[in-house]
Every structure is written in C-alpha cells, then in structure tokens.
Amino acid sequence: MNANPKFLSATATVDEAAIQPLPNSRKIYIEGSRPDIRVPMREISQSDTAASFGAEKNPPIYVYDTSGPYTDPSIKIDIRSGLDTPRLPWILERNDTEELPGPTSEYGIERLNDPQLAELRFNLHRKPRRALAGKNVSQMHYARQGIVTPEMEFVAIRENMNRRAYLEELKQSGEKGAKLAELMGRQHPGQSFGASIPMEITPEFVRDEIARGRAIIPANINHPEVEPMIIGRNFLVKINANIGNSAVTSSIGEEVEKMTWAIRWGGDNVMDLSTGKHIHETREWIIRNSPVPIGTVPIYQALEKVNGKAEDLTWEIFRDTLIEQAEQGVDYFTIHAGVRLQYVPLTAKRMTGIVSRGGSIMAKWCLAHHKESFLYEHFEDICQIMKAYDVSFSLGDGLRPGSIYDANDEAQLGELRTLGELTQIAWKHDVQVMIEGPGHVPMHLIKENMDLQLEHCHEAPFYTLGPLTTDIAPGYDHITSGIGAAQIGWYGTAMLCYVTPKEHLGLPNKVDVKDGIITYKIAAHAADLAKGHPGAQIRDNALSKARFEFRWEDQFNIGLDPDKAREFHDETLPKDSAKVAHFCSMCGPHFCSMKITQEVRDYAANQGISEIQALKQGMEVKSIEFVKSGSEIYQKQ
Ligand SMILES: C[C@H]1O[C@@H](n2cnc3c(N)ncnc32)[C@H](O)[C@@H]1O
Ligand SMILES: Cc1ncc(COP(=O)(O)O)c(N)n1
Ligand code: SF4
Ligand SMILES: [Zn+2]
C-alpha cells in the first residue's frame, strides 16, 4: 500500500490516487463578500439528452466538496510543505492572538528538540499562536458579540451549494430550461422533527446558531489550512472518519493517505485516534495536510506518556497534552468528563461493560484513586485552554452501550445528563460544544436517544457513532450502523461518525476507510432528504433523469462512487457501445422496464393520446385477455 513503509519526511509523497479530479468534475470557487473568501464546490457536467428523450441540454450540478486543494489541478501538492493557509489572514486581522516563540507544552518542546525524530518530523516553519491574555478566540465568542466572521460567511455559502443560482439560471434559459428547473427543483416536503432549516442559509443565521450553541465551526487558530465547515441540526448532516495507527500496525505515510482518501470520498471531519508510535509526529503530518477539521482524544496520548498505566495519569500530564495538541492545531477534543465515579458501578451488570477507550481509562483512574474524575473536577480549567485556541469540545460518551443488551441503560443516560451540565459550563466560557452519542442501539430505541440528548444537552449538536442496530454481523458493521446512522441523522443528529467493515475485528485500512465513508454519505444524504433539507433532492433528481434516459456516464459520475459504478457496469457490458444501450445486463434488452416505459410513451405520443390514457387502454386490452384466459393469476408456461 504505502510505497514508503519506513516513513522519511525527505521522501514523503502524496498518494497519486488522491489527487486525480473526479470524472467530469471541475472544482469551482464561489467568492464571498471579499476576494479571500473562496468557497469550493464540485461542478459535475453532464451530456445532452438524446433526441428520443426530447433532445435537451443538461446543466452541470453542484455538490459539496470536502476534498480541498487535492482535486484542484492548478494546485501543486507537496505534503512535505503542507497545504496553503487561507484562514491565516482572518486570524491575524482580528488582532487578538500572539505568535509564541515556539511550542509551550513540555512535551511539544521535548519532541521538537529530539534529534532522533529529525528524519520523520514535519518541517513546520510557522510558530504556534495563542489568544492574547484575557482574550477568547472562539467562534462562539465572536458570534455572541454579534460578529459575523469570514468563517461564518464561508460556511453559509458552502451550505447553500449554489442552489439558487443553478435553478435561477436554468429558469432564465428559455421554456425548456424553465421546465427542467421545475423538474430538478421539485422535492418532497420532508419531516424534520422540529429542526428549523431555512430555505437559504445566511451568514447571520450561522452566527445566530453558533451564538445559541446549536451549531459549531471547529476551527483552531493553529489550523489555518482548514476550509471551515459547520456542524448543527439545521445544516447538512456531516460525517466523520476515524483514522490513526495502533501499537500493532500502520505508519505515518499510511495515516496521511487514509486522511486524503477519506476527504476525497466525502469525509467532512477526520479524527486521528492514533495510539501507537509517534503520535505527536503523525498528527502534525495529518493536520498540516488536512483541509478538514481534525479531532483527537487527548487522553489516549496522555496514557501513552504514563506507559499505559491509567492510575498514573495526572491533571498536569493531561493539561500539558491539551496544550501540546492545541498548539499543533487540533480542532476538537473528545473529553470524557462525564464518566463520574458514581456511574462506574452502574456498568457492572452490563453485557459488555465499558467499550469506550476513553471511558474505560477514566473509570480505571476513578476506581484506583476512589476519586472523582480529574476531567470533571478541572472542567473549567480545560475551558480556559479551549478558548485560547478555539478548540471545540466533543464531550465523550465514555459510557455508551457496546451491545444491544446494554442500550439506553442507566449508566448511559446518567452520563448524558452530566454532559448536559458540562455543556452549560462550557457555554458560560463561550466554548463550542458537541455531544458524543452511541453506540449499539436497536432501531426502536434510537429516537429516545435523540430526544433525551436534545432535552438534557440544550440542543448542542449530537455526534453519534452509528448507532449499530444489531450485533450479529461482524464484517458488515458499516451496514448494521449505517441503518442506525440514517435514522438518528433524520431525527436530528448533526454529525455521524463512521463505522467501517473492520469494526470489532481490526484496524481499518484505506479500502475500509472508503467503504465507511460511502456508507455514511448515503446515511447522511438519506437523512437530509427525509428532513426536507432545501435542494437536497437536486442530485437525486439529476441522477434519476440520467438513469431513465440511459445516460450511463452521467449516472456513474453524479453518484457518490463513480469508479465503482463504472466498474460494475463494465463487468458484464464492457464495450463502448453498451454506454449508449437502452438496457443493462440485469434485465437485458427485452425486459428493460425503463426501455418499455419509453415505448409506452412513444406509443402514446404516436396515437396522440396521453400517457395515462394509453396505460388505461393497454390495461383494458390486458384485462380482456385476462378474463379470457380464465382469470388464472399464474398461467401455465
Ligand atoms: C470510537 C470508535 O473509533 C474507532 N477507532 C478507534 N481507533 C481507531 C483507529 N485507529 N482507526 C480507526 N478507527 C478507530 C473504534 O472502532 C470505535 O468504534
Ligand atoms: C462519535 C465518537 N467518536 C469517537 C469517540 C471516542 O472514542 P472512545 O470513546 O472509544 O475513546 C466517541 N466516544 N464517540
Ligand atoms: S476493537 Fe479490539 S482492541 Fe478495541 S475494544 Fe474491541 S476487542 Fe478491544
Ligand atoms: Zn462496538
């Protein structure tokens, strides 16, 4: 997989597969109120409709693009120098941060000065920044002051996906265009279970949602490479991909490749959950090359620093780790501060105990010392660090159920109430918060999770792992969990954390990353459609039209995975001529229902009667035949 198993910074190269533009696609940028707000989108062009279907032009469609500069052919990617820093001027012009002389954490300084790490270290020339004393640089803080930041304007444009211009231009382009606009823009009203999604997202709406805590923009001031994105129930449903090495396997090069692969296929966020070697250096390479926000679980690295002995963890070691990672640019921290001493006994009768890594580490610490969790006790100190860099909280669900048996039990729900209490403390400091959720939950108990989260956590965005709806399919847990993810996304979860086919079995590789991403893109989009998110159906409409008109190339290219669609079609009908055929190998030429429907329409047009009447007439003929044949439903062959 990785041509450079012994990772060396001098020879590190980008994965060639990650920098190819997607078929028939062009990256475009929509400019905001100032020239340095350039919001990326992917434009997918289409072929014309053939004469037999009414000969018309099909305009390009616009889709959300998470792939960053990688798919822009005008940008030369060299992972050794990292990505450009479009956010840097926005951060600097606010005049509320200072450049530090270098890393200020003990561990960060130690790693920087270790000569043995020279050959694999990312060579960063930029110095870390921090808020000036007494300043708060969180997006929530600005929002509450009434300030619309460039980050907020950026996400507003991004969420709208050029929808209005697309439909307007089409409407203006003559009679055919107006009909097409009507066809493409039509969608089912949806059921949003109380979300309030406006027709058009304005920067002011973004500001208001952030100010009231219903949405977050994870964007550390030390991650100026990021293209801002928003997580909230009134925005498009987002997905997160977990990557990272373990003590057993993987290298820095492989992890950077998983990140670039995840964002190519639609990952909105990536978590680096490394627990193996060189955690600090791996993270640096990932952040410097990531246009999407990066999350981590700092307690993992803190545990490494005490050689895996949970009881040896201290607040001081944890605090130094937070600063180390905040100065590298981590955008959100999972912090399991809801695992309180009193909840640990509630897990004793569970089938699968505590399955959260962070949760189990904290439970062990609490029991060993018979003390309240230091994360809970120092929560306000943590808030002080978060607001100095704008790191968002992802309040960890350390007591999530790890089996259907344990779903929605008292330990889980007790922790959820504590997460609600902590949310209000974070908000007192204007620190952004999202809440992590389960886990393993049967379908009929999923809605209760969403409803209780909204109630106890004051509408802070929910971020769930799946949930997995059954335990019986190891090897297919992207599917068991994709089902639950679609449901909970529909009910109001803002971000879905993917589960790959390797869940419970081993560390996911690049192939698993893509399978997890595509599964979760499906769940997230299905949820957007069901919520009635404005414009969500345009892509479905365009794909269905291409499918009905046998525009095979367009059907592949509008889809989430054009490579797979093409490969499957080619498997049985590889010839170029098959790409214009009015059937595929599923039904063959005589039984292709879409082809037959077209013949019905042609028949109706030739007879000068409407399609419905033609169908009626056809049915009358058929029903006479049916009576004649003795009304047997199953006729002998
Ligand atoms: C919280 C979730 O994160 C997943 N998880 C934990 N570590 C990694 C890793 N290095 N890579 C990918 N996924 C990981 C677990 O499988 C769990 O489902
Ligand atoms: C949605 C989500 N993603 C990641 C984690 C962290 O993992 P863990 O709780 O096992 O430490 C989590 N708790 N929830
Ligand atoms: S995934 Fe593997 S290592 Fe992680 S908790 Fe389950 S069995 Fe343990
Ligand atoms: Zn599990």
Side-chain angles (χ1 to χ4, degrees), residues 429-626:
H429 292 268
D430 293 353
V431 172
Q432 307 189 87
V433 180
M434 59 181 167
I435 309 289
E436 290 182 0
H440 292 241
V441 185
M443 290 202 290
H444 65 292
L445 297 184
I446 290 179
K447 187 144 190 308
E448 185 183 29
N449 272 278
M450 188 70 232
D451 294 344
L452 290 174
Q453 191 271 348
L454 286 170
E455 182 190 330
H456 294 310
C457 300
H458 324 286
E459 298 192 279
F462 205 19
Y463 166 38
T464 63
L465 179 70
L468 293 80
T469 53
T470 167
D471 295 337
I472 67 165
Y476 297 87
D477 278 327
H478 56 318
I479 299 175
T480 62
S481 68
I483 293 167
Q487 278 197 357
I488 209 160
W490 179 20
Y491 303 146
T493 290
M495 183 154 78
L496 307 171
C497 177
Y498 83 5
V499 173
T500 75
K502 287 275 165 67
E503 185 72 8
H504 307 114
L505 303 171
L507 191 77
N509 61 24
K510 224 175 106 177
V511 175
D512 304 315
V513 167
K514 181 175 172 187
D515 288 345
I517 291 279
I518 300 288
T519 308
Y520 274 67
K521 283 299 281 183
I522 297 168
H525 182 71
D528 288 335
L529 279 176
K531 285 167 82 173
H533 198 101
Q537 205 181 305
I538 293 174
R539 191 170 184 178
D540 297 72
N541 292 345
L543 196 142
S544 302
K545 186 169 186 281
R547 176 176 286 157
F548 189 72
E549 293 173 355
F550 297 101
R551 285 183 279 120
W552 292 103
E553 296 285 344
D554 293 346
Q555 185 185 168
F556 306 153
N557 297 340
I558 296 168
L560 290 177
D561 183 357
D563 298 353
K564 178 108 159 195
R566 184 183 312 276
E567 182 195 316
F568 279 9
H569 187 263
D570 283 357
E571 192 179 316
T572 46
L573 293 170
K575 286 191 190 151
D576 278 352
S577 58
K579 298 290 180 297
V580 293
H582 285 198
F583 63 90
C584 77
S585 65
M586 172 75 88
C587 311
H590 299 305
F591 287 84
C592 176
S593 50
M594 293 204 295
K595 178 174 182 244
I596 299 170
T597 303
Q598 191 52 35
E599 286 160 3
V600 172
R601 289 185 176 181
D602 292 345
Y603 172 76
N606 288 339
Q607 303 284 309
I609 49 173
S610 79
E611 187 182 320
I612 302 293
Q613 277 173 321
L615 284 171
K616 258 194 188 159
Q617 281 188 0
M619 267 153 63
E620 274 160 27
V621 174
K622 277 274 177 232
S623 65
I624 292 163
E625 276 171 14
F626 185 61

